[in-house]
Amino acid sequence: PWSVWECHPAGEELVMLLSGSVEMVLESPTGEEVCCLSKPGEFVLIPAGVWHTARASAEVTLLFLTPGAGTQHKPV
């Protein structure tokens, strides 16, 4: 699991599962939204400016396409 939440104000982030399984957790005005990735090739597109983190109970491999400019972090 990630030890921080992160946010990318410069654009959307694509997170694709390559192996394992993971829960991508997105912060929303009504609480947390969880997107479960369990099959290789599944992905989530995280909107610009949305705080997010990941939870995994075993080793996982992910591919990230991230607009890095201005990335912010806060503790989980």
Side-chain angles (χ1 to χ4, degrees), residues 4 6-7 9 12 14 16-17 23 25-26 32 47 65 73 75:
V4 296
E6 64 178 28
C7 176
E12 298 172 322
L14 178 99
M16 179 182 289
L17 180 69
E23 291 182 341
V25 184
L26 286 64
E32 294 181 353
L65 299 176
H73 295 95

Side-chain angles (χ1 to χ4, degrees), residues 2-7 27 49-53 71-76:
W2 292 353
S3 59
V4 296
W5 287 85
E6 64 178 28
C7 176
E27 200 173 65
V50 172
W51 286 97
H52 57 282
T53 192
T71 294
Q72 302 169 17
H73 295 95
K74 66 180 181 179
V76 170

Side-chain angles (χ1 to χ4, degrees), residues 16-42:
M16 179 182 289
L17 180 69
L18 299 181
S19 67
S21 63
V22 66
E23 291 182 341
M24 296 302 299
V25 184
L26 286 64
E27 200 173 65
S28 76
T30 58
E32 294 181 353
E33 294 180 22
V34 178
C35 179
C36 297
L37 304 178
S38 58
K39 297 177 188 167
E42 289 183 334

